[in-house]
């Protein structure tokens, strides 16, 4: 089968997201995948000094990134923001601002036709019209209106739903959000949480150089350093337990100066995805200190199962999205005041690594990709017989 992904994050980005994993797994199973991500436009010239700008440019022509997987970051004449996309339609389909024309580029990349279009990024949804025979899957990964704080996302999401034959949401919170749209009333809605590249995180590797000499217990956070991270809770934890080593991995706009002043906190910045197992496997506990940001309610954090695959128990904030998770080795707290006690308790009753890894193995991205293929095949069969 041929799959077209319309995603928010390009291959080569600091963040490896669900569409990347699904694309790779589908390619490994013999399917052909083209992964199109958010367009490059004039706004990105402001980021000439950033590595992210050049990782986008590297795929401005279709580029093979894995067996049977092509990545493409299209150039666009206009910024494809939710507000502009909302104003363009229906007078002009937003994908028509891409140059050269998207359908021509896809044809040259070996995609004259397509069996399924998977939309992670509703801003790109109009491109699904290039393949009227394809099964269209809308795969919202967050409650975008809350995550981005942009009300125009509601309009572009409605248009994505009008084009969709199926919705695959990454959490029950996201699914309930989608169900509230009139356009979703007749659509089947499935919940398929984010998963883990199990072999990558579970296969033993030597200790990362950054950890050598750090005291145990080692508590690690890996992820975005933005408003969704509760920096104050991490600072309270470091202050309350100066004998614990806190390791912070990631990048983003949040100010970490309070943490950097703590002698037991080690801020590593961005670490390539390939090197994460060398950090996680030699830590003692994974942290998901989510803040009160409304975007956290719908999240299905990939780090949860990546921690477990590396053999780490997990302490996380008890958000609405995390209510779906009923997994041994995962302890929740409801306030920063509880975080220290919950963490101490879990360290004292730590489950063995094989049992945690066994749980993570059931959430491998290979399982998710097979489920996606089965859903597409079922939708195609139903459309033929309708």
């Amino acid at each position: 089968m041929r799959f077209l992904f319309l995603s928010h994050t390009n291959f080569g980005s600091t963040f490896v997201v669900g569409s990347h994993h699904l694309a790779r797994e589908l390619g490994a199973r013999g399917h052909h995948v083209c992964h199109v991500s958010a367009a490059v436009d004039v706004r990105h010239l402001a980021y000439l000094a950033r590595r992210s700008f050049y990782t986008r440019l590297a795929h401005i022509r279709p580029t093979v990134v894995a067996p049977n997987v092509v990545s493409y970051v299209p150039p666009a004449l206009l910024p494809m923001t939710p507000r502009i996309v909302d104003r363009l339609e229906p007078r002009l389909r937003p994908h028509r601002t891409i140059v050269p024309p998207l359908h021509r580029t896809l044809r040259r990349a070996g995609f004259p036709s397509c069996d399924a279009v998977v939309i992670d990024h509703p801003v790109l949804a109009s491109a699904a019209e290039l393949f009227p025979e394809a099964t269209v899957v809308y795969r919202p990964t967050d409650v975008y209106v809350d995550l981005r704080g942009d009300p125009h996302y509601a309009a572009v999401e409605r248009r994505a739903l009008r084009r969709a034959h199926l919705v695959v949401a990454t959490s029950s919170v996201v699914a309930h959000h989608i169900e509230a749209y009139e356009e979703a009333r007749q659509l089947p809605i499935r919940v398929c949480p984010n998963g883990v590249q199990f072999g990558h995180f579970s296969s033993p590797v030597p200790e990362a150089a950054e950890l050598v000499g750090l005291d145990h217990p080692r508590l690690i956070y890996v992820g975005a350093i933005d408003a969704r991270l509760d920096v104050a809770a991490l600072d309270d934890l470091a202050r309350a337990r100066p004998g614990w080593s806190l390791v912070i991995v990631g990048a983003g706009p949040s100010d970490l100066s309070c943490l950097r002043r703590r002698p037991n906190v080690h801020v590593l910045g961005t670490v390539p995805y390939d090197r994460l197992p060398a950090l996680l496997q030699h830590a003692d506990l994974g942290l998901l200190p989510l803040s009160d940001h409304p975007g956290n309610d719908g999240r299905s954090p990939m780090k949860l199962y990546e921690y477990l695959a590396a053999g780490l128990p997990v302490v996380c904030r008890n958000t609405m999205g995390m209510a779906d998770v009923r997994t041994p080795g995962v302890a929740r707290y409801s306030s920063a005041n509880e975080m220290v006690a919950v963490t101490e308790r879990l360290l004292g009753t730590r489950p063995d690594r094989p049992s945690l890894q066994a749980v993570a193995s059931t959430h491998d991205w290979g399982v998710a990709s097979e489920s996606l293929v089965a859903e597409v095949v079922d939708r195609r069969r139903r459309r033929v017989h309708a």
Side-chain angles (χ1 to χ4, degrees), residues 298-310:
R299 288 180 71 185
S300 171
M302 282 193 291
K303 287 298 170 287
L304 172 67
Y305 294 112
E306 292 174 354
Y307 289 158
L308 292 172

Side-chain angles (χ1 to χ4, degrees), residues 81-87 123 145 149-159:
T81 64
R83 181 178 181 180
I84 290 176
V85 167
D86 186 19
R87 291 187 175 186
V123 165
V145 173
D150 186 343
H152 293 280
Y153 264 105
V156 296
E157 220 169 21
R158 287 191 175 97
R159 292 192 175 97

Side-chain angles (χ1 to χ4, degrees), residues 7 82 108 138 204 207 216 229 247 253 265 267 291 319 333 348-349 377:
S7 179
R108 289 175 178 170
Y138 181 44
E207 180 181 30
H216 289 270
L229 174 66
V247 180
V265 176
V267 180
S291 70
T319 62
Y333 65 92
T349 59
V377 169

